[in-house]
Amino acid sequence: MRSILITGGNGGLGLGIGRYFLEKDPEARVWLGVRSNRAAAEALIAEFPERGRLVDLEVTSKDAWEAAVATIQAADGRLDVLVNNAGMHRDALLATMDDEAWRSVVSSNLDSVFFGCRAVIPGMMRERFGRIVNMASLSAVLPPLGQTNYAAAKAGVVALTQTLAKEVARAGITVNALLPGYIETEALAHLDAEGAKRAKMGIPMRRFGRPAEVAAAVFFLACQDAGYVTGSALKIDGGIF
């Protein structure tokens, strides 16, 4: 059985990735890392009671990461796949952005990936196997106005991914990043009908992506056959960039 931890397990993308693994891989044991707002995550786990679990995880806390990884390793004996999916954004123009908006966004999107990767690497090195998939964003390479904090954090995730991939490649561990564009999750809830129409006009495919389409990429990068893919930054954006 493969042990898989997905952070941000209570959001649309985290839930979509968790469901994809549970439905596509009968050998997968999926742990959804959550801090609060657990109802949707609990509902998914209830559908797969033998292979799904929740684990308490505040992704900006080193201690919380160490505790969560220890819990999973105690239950499963190992942790094979980490999907660093948790994150947030607080958009504002840099000239008016307050310190807390900067710190909280960088912490939730970049510090969390650092703490998570550092927590799982020792166990993966012992097993001589591991798959890490870090969720960046199209904003890392095509940043919009008002996202200096978010774009900088996600660009940092890409750089961290590429550097770490080199450090652990000989241990049988791959580290890759995904750069989603517009995906149909709660992140697009701020768009009204007209805003959604305008956004789609900027996408060559003229539609938003679906969580399952991102999950399929995660699933591939986490599989045994993707062992020669590492340090990549894969865009999932319908052709925007």
Side-chain angles (χ1 to χ4, degrees):
M1 180 168 287
R2 290 200 303 165
S3 183
I4 299 152
L5 171 59
I6 302 165
T7 69
N10 56 349
L13 196 51
L15 291 166
I17 296 168
R19 177 175 294 280
Y20 200 95
F21 272 96
L22 289 165
E23 291 181 348
K24 300 290 185 181
D25 183 2
E27 295 299 313
R29 164 111 73 175
V30 170
W31 295 78
L32 297 178
V34 294
R35 183 187 62 178
S36 58
N37 301 322
R38 296 167 173 251
E42 289 173 343
L44 176 60
I45 295 305
E47 294 182 43
F48 303 88
E50 300 301 318
R51 297 191 293 115
R53 298 285 188 276
L54 296 185
V55 62
D56 291 326
L57 182 53
E58 166 51 72
V59 295
T60 63
S61 165
K62 175 180 73 73
D63 293 340
W65 267 107
E66 292 175 355
V69 171
T71 295
I72 295 169
Q73 290 175 336
D76 293 351
R78 56 192 289 164
L79 175 55
D80 301 293
V81 179
L82 169 62
V83 182
N84 277 310
N85 168 70
M88 61 167 303
H89 62 88
R90 291 175 60 184
D91 297 353
L93 296 177
L94 185 143
T96 59
M97 183 179 295
D98 61 45
D99 294 354
E100 176 57 23
W102 173 269
R103 291 194 197 97
S104 62
V105 169
V106 171
S107 181
S108 64
N109 290 284
L110 181 56
D111 291 352
S112 63
V113 175
F114 165 70
F115 288 135
C117 290
R118 192 174 64 178
V120 304
I121 286 294
M124 290 181 174
M125 292 188 75
R126 285 193 300 271
E127 298 293 335
R128 308 298 291 180
F129 178 86
R131 298 284 185 264
I132 298 174
V133 181
N134 295 325
M135 203 63 64
S137 168
L138 192 63
S139 294
V141 293
L142 192 66
L145 294 171
Q147 284 195 347
T148 50
N149 49 2
Y150 184 76
K154 291 302 190 180
V157 170
V158 174
L160 182 155
T161 296
Q162 294 171 336
T163 303
L164 180 59
K166 295 176 181 179
E167 296 178 359
V168 298
R170 293 181 66 184
I173 303 167
T174 67
V175 191
N176 293 286
L178 294 181
L179 284 65
Y182 290 98
I183 307 297
E184 293 176 340
T185 67
E186 65 280 353
L188 299 185
H190 66 286
L191 293 177
D192 59 17
E194 184 60 30
K197 181 179 178 180
R198 288 197 303 270
K200 289 176 183 177
M201 288 303 295
I203 304 170
M205 286 190 175
R206 296 295 191 269
R207 68 172 179 86
F208 296 147
R210 296 182 292 272
E213 292 172 314
V214 179
V218 176
F219 189 82
F220 166 69
L221 292 171
C223 78
Q224 186 77 33
D225 292 340
Y228 204 57
V229 182
T230 196
S232 69
L234 175 65
K235 295 181 290 82
I236 307 176
D237 66 352
I240 294 175
F241 186 68

